Amino acid sequence: MTYAADRIEEEAAYLAYHFHWSLDDVLDLEHGDRRRYVGRAAALVERSAQA
Amino acid sequence: MRREGPGGAVASPPAAGSGPGSVLGPGFGEERREPLRTEFEFELPRGYVDESGTVHRRGAMRLATARDELVPLRDVRVRENPAYLSVVLLGRVVTRLGTLPSVHDGTVENMFASDLAFLQDFYRQINAEGHTRAAVACPHCSESFEVELAGSRLGES
């Protein structure tokens, strides 16, 4: 009702790629938590790109 | 609102027969991680009437996860009738209702349409905004104010 499946898959893949978390762990994050961690990963990627 | 684990407020009592402490539950004999769960309490506008005629109005809904949104998509009933998605989804995230021993999609299926609509709105509100307050404007004077969506409280209506 609130999230498109492909958006969820995209965010799950992003977290798994950067943090190496298991799919089960990522799927069980609440939406808000998952979005926050996507933001954290993006910030880390940006910081390492600038370094 | 209540949240289990660190970072939250109140820990919910574990459901009977599941989770740590259950002899037959998963993870027996090993340390099992408690997932972080946030719950919001609500009061249904009409109430769910069970087989014995008892009306159940007060309940709680936990925040949804990706799994909650993906599992219904694989449900054959949802594939045949996409409108059934919200029934399956709400059956997963409504954690308790009145004195019912459990809440599942069969419970949601038998709710009044107005209660189902309420729960759909409630779901969107807590998962999109993270709280149960909604910004509204008075149709007469246009003044903006907030309303509580969780339902009436004692002494209020």
Side-chain angles (χ1 to χ4, degrees):
Chain A
M1 286 195 282
T2 54
Y3 286 89
D6 55 351
R7 172 75 183 173
I8 287 174
E9 287 168 3
E10 188 179 9
E11 291 181 1
Y14 190 78
L15 288 178
Y17 180 77
H18 290 290
F19 291 150
H20 310 289
W21 291 348
S22 76
L23 183 61
D24 275 341
D25 288 343
V26 174
L27 292 184
D28 285 327
L29 290 172
E30 291 169 358
H31 290 313
D33 289 340
R34 190 184 65 253
R35 280 202 311 267
R36 267 192 296 281
Y37 283 118
V38 165
R40 297 281 181 183
L44 290 171
V45 168
E46 194 172 333
R47 194 192 301 173
S48 67
Q50 289 170 350
Chain B
M1 174 177 121
R2 56 176 64 194
R3 181 158 187 153
E4 295 178 358
V10 190
S12 307
S18 69
S22 167
V23 175
L24 299 174
F28 170 64
E30 62 188 64
E31 192 166 336
R32 189 163 170 273
R33 288 173 302 167
E34 270 295 301
L36 289 168
R37 285 286 176 263
T38 312
E39 282 190 359
F40 290 85
E41 295 186 344
F42 61 78
E43 187 173 325
L44 294 177
R46 292 196 65 173
Y48 172 77
V49 185
D50 68 19
E51 310 90 71
S52 67
T54 306
V55 181
H56 304 269
R57 295 187 68 189
R58 298 182 66 87
M61 184 187 291
R62 65 170 172 79
L63 287 185
T65 66
R67 190 186 302 278
D68 293 321
E69 308 252 4
L70 295 178
V71 165
L73 299 178
R74 302 187 181 197
D75 191 303
V76 66
R77 296 165 299 179
V78 177
R79 287 187 176 184
E80 289 171 358
N81 177 12
Y84 204 79
L85 186 145
S86 63
V87 172
V88 178
L89 184 53
L90 291 171
R92 291 176 60 88
V93 296
V94 174
T95 53
R96 53 194 157 87
L97 181 61
T99 54
L100 291 175
S102 68
V103 182
H104 47 84
D105 46 22
T107 316
V108 179
E109 196 175 17
N110 287 311
M111 283 183 175
F112 288 112
S114 54
D115 284 342
L116 187 59
F118 168 85
L119 287 176
Q120 288 169 336
D121 278 349
F122 194 76
Y123 178 95
R124 286 192 199 96
Q125 185 71 21
I126 64 174
N127 284 291
E129 307 292 336
H131 54 71
T132 56
R133 299 178 305 281
V136 293
C138 172
H140 297 292
C141 67
S142 301
E143 187 174 331
S144 301
F145 60 100
E146 285 190 340
V147 292
E148 176 63 49
L149 297 180
S152 61
R153 297 216 173 90
L154 285 175
E156 303 172 12
S157 62

Short mmCIF file of all heavy atoms in Angstrom, two decimals, chain A residues 1-6 8-9 12 22-37, chain B residues 3 33 35-38 63-70 73 85-86 89-90 119-120 123-124 127-128:
data_model
loop_
_atom_site.label_atom_id
_atom_site.label_comp_id
_atom_site.label_asym_id
_atom_site.label_seq_id
_atom_site.Cartn_x
_atom_site.Cartn_y
_atom_site.Cartn_z
N MET A 1 0.82 -1.21 0.00
CA MET A 1 0.00 0.00 0.00
C MET A 1 0.85 1.26 0.00
O MET A 1 0.42 2.30 -0.42
CB MET A 1 -0.90 0.02 1.24
CG MET A 1 -2.05 -0.96 1.15
SD MET A 1 -3.33 -0.65 2.37
CE MET A 1 -2.59 -1.35 3.82
N THR A 2 2.10 1.14 0.52
CA THR A 2 2.91 2.34 0.59
C THR A 2 4.18 2.25 -0.25
O THR A 2 4.73 3.26 -0.61
CB THR A 2 3.33 2.66 2.03
OG1 THR A 2 3.96 1.49 2.57
CG2 THR A 2 2.15 3.03 2.88
N TYR A 3 4.65 1.04 -0.54
CA TYR A 3 5.91 0.91 -1.25
C TYR A 3 5.78 -0.02 -2.44
O TYR A 3 5.23 -1.11 -2.33
CB TYR A 3 7.01 0.37 -0.32
CG TYR A 3 7.47 1.40 0.66
CD1 TYR A 3 6.85 1.54 1.88
CD2 TYR A 3 8.51 2.27 0.33
CE1 TYR A 3 7.25 2.51 2.77
CE2 TYR A 3 8.91 3.25 1.22
CZ TYR A 3 8.28 3.36 2.44
OH TYR A 3 8.66 4.32 3.31
N ALA A 4 6.34 0.40 -3.56
CA ALA A 4 6.35 -0.46 -4.74
C ALA A 4 7.40 -1.54 -4.53
O ALA A 4 8.46 -1.30 -3.93
CB ALA A 4 6.68 0.36 -5.98
N ALA A 5 7.08 -2.75 -5.00
CA ALA A 5 7.97 -3.89 -4.79
C ALA A 5 9.35 -3.63 -5.39
O ALA A 5 10.37 -3.98 -4.79
CB ALA A 5 7.35 -5.15 -5.37
N ASP A 6 9.41 -2.99 -6.56
CA ASP A 6 10.72 -2.81 -7.19
C ASP A 6 11.57 -1.80 -6.41
O ASP A 6 12.79 -1.90 -6.37
CB ASP A 6 10.59 -2.40 -8.68
CG ASP A 6 9.75 -1.18 -8.88
OD1 ASP A 6 9.11 -0.73 -7.91
OD2 ASP A 6 9.71 -0.66 -10.01
N ILE A 8 11.43 -1.50 -3.11
CA ILE A 8 11.90 -2.28 -1.96
C ILE A 8 13.10 -3.14 -2.37
O ILE A 8 14.11 -3.20 -1.66
CB ILE A 8 10.77 -3.18 -1.41
CG1 ILE A 8 9.74 -2.31 -0.68
CG2 ILE A 8 11.31 -4.26 -0.49
CD1 ILE A 8 8.52 -3.07 -0.22
N GLU A 9 12.99 -3.79 -3.52
CA GLU A 9 14.10 -4.65 -3.99
C GLU A 9 15.35 -3.82 -4.25
O GLU A 9 16.47 -4.26 -3.94
CB GLU A 9 13.66 -5.39 -5.26
CG GLU A 9 12.67 -6.50 -4.98
CD GLU A 9 12.02 -7.05 -6.24
OE1 GLU A 9 12.39 -6.59 -7.35
OE2 GLU A 9 11.14 -7.91 -6.10
N ALA A 12 16.85 -2.98 -0.86
CA ALA A 12 17.42 -4.19 -0.24
C ALA A 12 18.75 -4.54 -0.91
O ALA A 12 19.73 -4.87 -0.23
CB ALA A 12 16.43 -5.35 -0.36
N SER A 22 22.29 -9.84 5.33
CA SER A 22 21.52 -10.90 4.66
C SER A 22 20.16 -10.35 4.21
O SER A 22 19.64 -9.38 4.78
CB SER A 22 21.31 -12.07 5.61
OG SER A 22 20.30 -11.75 6.54
N LEU A 23 19.60 -10.99 3.21
CA LEU A 23 18.30 -10.56 2.70
C LEU A 23 17.24 -10.62 3.80
O LEU A 23 16.42 -9.71 3.93
CB LEU A 23 17.89 -11.44 1.52
CG LEU A 23 16.57 -11.05 0.85
CD1 LEU A 23 16.63 -9.64 0.28
CD2 LEU A 23 16.20 -12.05 -0.24
N ASP A 24 17.28 -11.67 4.61
CA ASP A 24 16.29 -11.80 5.69
C ASP A 24 16.35 -10.61 6.63
O ASP A 24 15.32 -10.06 7.04
CB ASP A 24 16.53 -13.10 6.48
CG ASP A 24 15.85 -14.28 5.81
OD1 ASP A 24 14.93 -14.06 5.00
OD2 ASP A 24 16.26 -15.42 6.09
N ASP A 25 17.57 -10.22 7.01
CA ASP A 25 17.72 -9.09 7.93
C ASP A 25 17.18 -7.80 7.32
O ASP A 25 16.51 -7.01 7.98
CB ASP A 25 19.19 -8.90 8.32
CG ASP A 25 19.67 -10.00 9.27
OD1 ASP A 25 18.81 -10.68 9.85
OD2 ASP A 25 20.89 -10.17 9.40
N VAL A 26 17.49 -7.59 6.06
CA VAL A 26 17.05 -6.36 5.40
C VAL A 26 15.53 -6.34 5.25
O VAL A 26 14.88 -5.31 5.50
CB VAL A 26 17.73 -6.23 4.01
CG1 VAL A 26 17.17 -5.03 3.26
CG2 VAL A 26 19.24 -6.09 4.17
N LEU A 27 14.95 -7.48 4.90
CA LEU A 27 13.50 -7.53 4.69
C LEU A 27 12.73 -7.31 5.99
O LEU A 27 11.57 -6.90 5.96
CB LEU A 27 13.08 -8.87 4.08
CG LEU A 27 13.53 -9.13 2.64
CD1 LEU A 27 12.96 -10.45 2.15
CD2 LEU A 27 13.09 -8.00 1.71
N ASP A 28 13.37 -7.59 7.13
CA ASP A 28 12.68 -7.43 8.41
C ASP A 28 12.90 -6.06 9.05
O ASP A 28 12.41 -5.81 10.15
CB ASP A 28 13.10 -8.54 9.38
CG ASP A 28 12.44 -9.86 9.01
OD1 ASP A 28 11.29 -9.83 8.52
OD2 ASP A 28 13.07 -10.92 9.19
N LEU A 29 13.60 -5.16 8.38
CA LEU A 29 13.70 -3.79 8.88
C LEU A 29 12.39 -3.07 8.61
O LEU A 29 11.78 -3.24 7.54
CB LEU A 29 14.82 -3.04 8.14
CG LEU A 29 16.27 -3.44 8.44
CD1 LEU A 29 17.20 -2.70 7.47
CD2 LEU A 29 16.63 -3.10 9.87
N GLU A 30 11.96 -2.25 9.57
CA GLU A 30 10.79 -1.41 9.31
C GLU A 30 11.15 -0.43 8.19
O GLU A 30 12.32 -0.10 7.99
CB GLU A 30 10.41 -0.65 10.59
CG GLU A 30 9.85 -1.58 11.66
CD GLU A 30 9.72 -0.89 13.02
OE1 GLU A 30 10.10 0.28 13.14
OE2 GLU A 30 9.25 -1.57 13.96
N HIS A 31 10.12 0.05 7.48
CA HIS A 31 10.38 0.92 6.32
C HIS A 31 11.27 2.11 6.68
O HIS A 31 12.21 2.43 5.95
CB HIS A 31 9.05 1.44 5.75
CG HIS A 31 8.24 0.39 5.07
ND1 HIS A 31 8.76 -0.50 4.17
CD2 HIS A 31 6.93 0.07 5.17
CE1 HIS A 31 7.81 -1.31 3.73
NE2 HIS A 31 6.68 -0.99 4.33
N GLY A 32 10.97 2.75 7.79
CA GLY A 32 11.73 3.93 8.20
C GLY A 32 13.19 3.60 8.47
O GLY A 32 14.09 4.35 8.08
N ASP A 33 13.41 2.47 9.16
CA ASP A 33 14.79 2.05 9.46
C ASP A 33 15.54 1.74 8.17
O ASP A 33 16.70 2.11 8.00
CB ASP A 33 14.78 0.82 10.37
CG ASP A 33 14.33 1.16 11.79
OD1 ASP A 33 14.41 2.35 12.15
OD2 ASP A 33 13.92 0.25 12.51
N ARG A 34 14.87 1.02 7.27
CA ARG A 34 15.53 0.66 6.01
C ARG A 34 15.93 1.91 5.23
O ARG A 34 17.05 2.01 4.73
CB ARG A 34 14.60 -0.22 5.15
CG ARG A 34 15.30 -0.84 3.93
CD ARG A 34 14.34 -1.61 3.05
NE ARG A 34 13.34 -0.76 2.44
CZ ARG A 34 12.05 -0.73 2.79
NH1 ARG A 34 11.60 -1.51 3.73
NH2 ARG A 34 11.20 0.10 2.21
N ARG A 35 15.02 2.89 5.17
CA ARG A 35 15.34 4.13 4.45
C ARG A 35 16.50 4.87 5.11
O ARG A 35 17.36 5.42 4.43
CB ARG A 35 14.11 5.05 4.42
CG ARG A 35 13.09 4.67 3.37
CD ARG A 35 12.21 5.87 3.05
NE ARG A 35 11.70 6.49 4.27
CZ ARG A 35 10.54 6.19 4.82
NH1 ARG A 35 9.77 5.30 4.26
NH2 ARG A 35 10.14 6.78 5.92
N ARG A 36 16.51 4.87 6.46
CA ARG A 36 17.60 5.56 7.16
C ARG A 36 18.94 4.91 6.84
O ARG A 36 19.93 5.59 6.60
CB ARG A 36 17.36 5.55 8.66
CG ARG A 36 16.62 6.79 9.16
CD ARG A 36 16.65 6.88 10.67
NE ARG A 36 15.95 5.77 11.30
CZ ARG A 36 14.63 5.70 11.41
NH1 ARG A 36 13.88 6.68 10.93
NH2 ARG A 36 14.05 4.68 11.98
N TYR A 37 18.97 3.58 6.81
CA TYR A 37 20.24 2.90 6.53
C TYR A 37 20.67 3.08 5.07
O TYR A 37 21.87 3.13 4.78
CB TYR A 37 20.15 1.41 6.89
CG TYR A 37 20.26 1.18 8.39
CD1 TYR A 37 19.21 0.59 9.10
CD2 TYR A 37 21.40 1.56 9.09
CE1 TYR A 37 19.30 0.39 10.48
CE2 TYR A 37 21.50 1.37 10.45
CZ TYR A 37 20.45 0.78 11.14
OH TYR A 37 20.55 0.60 12.49
N ARG B 3 7.93 0.31 21.64
CA ARG B 3 8.96 -0.28 20.80
C ARG B 3 9.77 -1.25 21.62
O ARG B 3 10.14 -0.97 22.75
CB ARG B 3 9.87 0.82 20.26
CG ARG B 3 10.95 0.28 19.36
CD ARG B 3 11.48 1.33 18.44
NE ARG B 3 12.39 0.70 17.50
CZ ARG B 3 12.62 1.17 16.30
NH1 ARG B 3 12.00 2.22 15.88
NH2 ARG B 3 13.46 0.59 15.50
N ARG B 33 17.80 -13.26 18.39
CA ARG B 33 17.73 -11.80 18.37
C ARG B 33 16.29 -11.34 18.33
O ARG B 33 15.46 -11.88 17.62
CB ARG B 33 18.46 -11.27 17.13
CG ARG B 33 19.96 -11.39 17.22
CD ARG B 33 20.58 -11.02 15.91
NE ARG B 33 20.08 -11.85 14.83
CZ ARG B 33 20.25 -11.58 13.55
NH1 ARG B 33 20.87 -10.50 13.19
NH2 ARG B 33 19.80 -12.40 12.63
N PRO B 35 13.72 -8.74 17.09
CA PRO B 35 13.66 -7.67 16.10
C PRO B 35 13.13 -6.39 16.74
O PRO B 35 12.36 -6.44 17.70
CB PRO B 35 12.67 -8.21 15.07
CG PRO B 35 11.84 -9.22 15.79
CD PRO B 35 12.72 -9.79 16.87
N LEU B 36 13.57 -5.25 16.23
CA LEU B 36 13.04 -3.98 16.70
C LEU B 36 11.63 -3.82 16.14
O LEU B 36 11.42 -3.93 14.94
CB LEU B 36 13.91 -2.83 16.19
CG LEU B 36 15.29 -2.69 16.81
CD1 LEU B 36 16.13 -1.72 15.99
CD2 LEU B 36 15.17 -2.20 18.24
N ARG B 37 10.68 -3.58 17.03
CA ARG B 37 9.31 -3.45 16.57
C ARG B 37 8.65 -2.24 17.21
O ARG B 37 8.72 -2.06 18.42
CB ARG B 37 8.51 -4.70 16.93
CG ARG B 37 8.84 -5.90 16.05
CD ARG B 37 8.23 -5.75 14.66
NE ARG B 37 8.61 -6.83 13.78
CZ ARG B 37 9.61 -6.78 12.91
NH1 ARG B 37 10.33 -5.67 12.82
NH2 ARG B 37 9.89 -7.80 12.14
N THR B 38 8.03 -1.43 16.38
CA THR B 38 7.32 -0.27 16.88
C THR B 38 5.82 -0.49 16.69
O THR B 38 5.40 -0.89 15.61
CB THR B 38 7.74 0.99 16.10
OG1 THR B 38 9.17 1.01 16.03
CG2 THR B 38 7.26 2.24 16.78
N LEU B 63 4.69 -1.32 12.88
CA LEU B 63 5.18 -0.77 11.62
C LEU B 63 5.50 -1.90 10.65
O LEU B 63 5.94 -2.98 11.07
CB LEU B 63 6.42 0.09 11.85
CG LEU B 63 6.19 1.45 12.51
CD1 LEU B 63 7.51 2.22 12.56
CD2 LEU B 63 5.14 2.25 11.76
N ALA B 64 5.28 -1.66 9.38
CA ALA B 64 5.49 -2.70 8.36
C ALA B 64 6.94 -2.79 7.94
O ALA B 64 7.71 -1.84 8.08
CB ALA B 64 4.62 -2.41 7.15
N THR B 65 7.30 -3.95 7.44
CA THR B 65 8.63 -4.18 6.88
C THR B 65 8.50 -4.49 5.38
O THR B 65 7.38 -4.67 4.87
CB THR B 65 9.31 -5.38 7.56
OG1 THR B 65 8.55 -6.56 7.21
CG2 THR B 65 9.31 -5.22 9.06
N ALA B 66 9.63 -4.58 4.72
CA ALA B 66 9.62 -4.97 3.31
C ALA B 66 8.95 -6.33 3.13
O ALA B 66 8.17 -6.55 2.20
CB ALA B 66 11.05 -4.99 2.77
N ARG B 67 9.24 -7.23 4.08
CA ARG B 67 8.66 -8.57 3.97
C ARG B 67 7.13 -8.52 4.01
O ARG B 67 6.46 -9.26 3.27
CB ARG B 67 9.18 -9.45 5.11
CG ARG B 67 8.82 -10.92 4.97
CD ARG B 67 9.23 -11.71 6.20
NE ARG B 67 10.65 -11.63 6.51
CZ ARG B 67 11.59 -12.37 5.91
NH1 ARG B 67 11.25 -13.25 5.00
NH2 ARG B 67 12.86 -12.24 6.22
N ASP B 68 6.60 -7.63 4.85
CA ASP B 68 5.14 -7.51 4.94
C ASP B 68 4.52 -7.10 3.61
O ASP B 68 3.38 -7.45 3.30
CB ASP B 68 4.75 -6.49 6.01
CG ASP B 68 5.12 -6.95 7.41
OD1 ASP B 68 4.95 -8.15 7.69
OD2 ASP B 68 5.55 -6.11 8.21
N GLU B 69 5.25 -6.32 2.83
CA GLU B 69 4.71 -5.86 1.55
C GLU B 69 4.95 -6.87 0.44
O GLU B 69 4.19 -6.93 -0.52
CB GLU B 69 5.38 -4.53 1.16
CG GLU B 69 5.34 -3.48 2.24
CD GLU B 69 4.39 -2.33 1.95
OE1 GLU B 69 3.69 -2.37 0.93
OE2 GLU B 69 4.35 -1.40 2.77
N LEU B 70 5.99 -7.68 0.58
CA LEU B 70 6.32 -8.62 -0.51
C LEU B 70 5.57 -9.94 -0.37
O LEU B 70 5.17 -10.52 -1.38
CB LEU B 70 7.84 -8.89 -0.52
CG LEU B 70 8.71 -7.67 -0.85
CD1 LEU B 70 10.19 -8.05 -0.78
CD2 LEU B 70 8.38 -7.11 -2.22
N LEU B 73 2.21 -10.33 -2.13
CA LEU B 73 2.27 -10.37 -3.59
C LEU B 73 2.38 -11.81 -4.10
O LEU B 73 2.08 -12.10 -5.26
CB LEU B 73 3.45 -9.54 -4.10
CG LEU B 73 3.42 -8.05 -3.73
CD1 LEU B 73 4.67 -7.35 -4.26
CD2 LEU B 73 2.17 -7.39 -4.30
N LEU B 85 -4.97 -7.60 -1.31
CA LEU B 85 -3.63 -7.33 -0.77
C LEU B 85 -3.70 -6.67 0.60
O LEU B 85 -2.99 -7.07 1.53
CB LEU B 85 -2.85 -6.43 -1.74
CG LEU B 85 -1.38 -6.18 -1.38
CD1 LEU B 85 -0.53 -6.10 -2.64
CD2 LEU B 85 -1.18 -4.92 -0.57
N SER B 86 -4.56 -5.68 0.73
CA SER B 86 -4.59 -4.96 2.00
C SER B 86 -5.10 -5.86 3.13
O SER B 86 -4.72 -5.68 4.28
CB SER B 86 -5.43 -3.68 1.90
OG SER B 86 -6.76 -3.99 1.62
N LEU B 89 -2.07 -7.95 4.08
CA LEU B 89 -1.08 -7.07 4.70
C LEU B 89 -1.51 -6.67 6.12
O LEU B 89 -0.73 -6.77 7.08
CB LEU B 89 -0.91 -5.83 3.82
CG LEU B 89 0.13 -4.79 4.19
CD1 LEU B 89 1.49 -5.42 4.39
CD2 LEU B 89 0.20 -3.72 3.12
N LEU B 90 -2.75 -6.24 6.26
CA LEU B 90 -3.24 -5.81 7.59
C LEU B 90 -3.29 -6.99 8.55
O LEU B 90 -3.05 -6.84 9.74
CB LEU B 90 -4.61 -5.15 7.47
CG LEU B 90 -4.62 -3.79 6.77
CD1 LEU B 90 -6.04 -3.31 6.50
CD2 LEU B 90 -3.86 -2.76 7.59
N LEU B 119 -8.27 1.20 9.03
CA LEU B 119 -6.98 0.54 9.20
C LEU B 119 -6.04 0.83 8.02
O LEU B 119 -4.83 0.97 8.21
CB LEU B 119 -7.16 -0.97 9.38
CG LEU B 119 -7.75 -1.41 10.72
CD1 LEU B 119 -7.98 -2.91 10.73
CD2 LEU B 119 -6.84 -1.00 11.88
N GLN B 120 -6.60 0.92 6.81
CA GLN B 120 -5.77 1.24 5.65
C GLN B 120 -5.18 2.64 5.79
O GLN B 120 -3.99 2.86 5.53
CB GLN B 120 -6.60 1.14 4.36
CG GLN B 120 -6.93 -0.30 3.99
CD GLN B 120 -7.95 -0.39 2.87
OE1 GLN B 120 -8.74 0.52 2.64
NE2 GLN B 120 -7.97 -1.52 2.18
N TYR B 123 -2.55 2.57 8.56
CA TYR B 123 -1.32 1.93 8.06
C TYR B 123 -0.49 2.94 7.27
O TYR B 123 0.71 3.08 7.48
CB TYR B 123 -1.70 0.74 7.17
CG TYR B 123 -0.52 0.04 6.55
CD1 TYR B 123 0.04 -1.07 7.15
CD2 TYR B 123 0.03 0.49 5.34
CE1 TYR B 123 1.13 -1.72 6.57
CE2 TYR B 123 1.11 -0.14 4.77
CZ TYR B 123 1.65 -1.24 5.38
OH TYR B 123 2.73 -1.88 4.82
N ARG B 124 -1.15 3.64 6.35
CA ARG B 124 -0.42 4.62 5.53
C ARG B 124 0.18 5.70 6.41
O ARG B 124 1.32 6.11 6.22
CB ARG B 124 -1.37 5.28 4.51
CG ARG B 124 -1.74 4.37 3.37
CD ARG B 124 -2.42 5.13 2.24
NE ARG B 124 -3.14 4.20 1.39
CZ ARG B 124 -4.43 3.94 1.52
NH1 ARG B 124 -5.15 4.56 2.42
NH2 ARG B 124 -5.01 3.06 0.74
N ASN B 127 3.21 4.39 8.61
CA ASN B 127 4.37 3.95 7.83
C ASN B 127 4.97 5.07 6.99
O ASN B 127 6.16 5.05 6.69
CB ASN B 127 4.00 2.76 6.95
CG ASN B 127 3.90 1.48 7.76
OD1 ASN B 127 4.89 0.96 8.24
ND2 ASN B 127 2.68 0.99 7.95
N ALA B 128 4.15 6.05 6.62
CA ALA B 128 4.68 7.16 5.83
C ALA B 128 5.18 8.28 6.72
O ALA B 128 6.21 8.87 6.48
CB ALA B 128 3.61 7.68 4.87
#
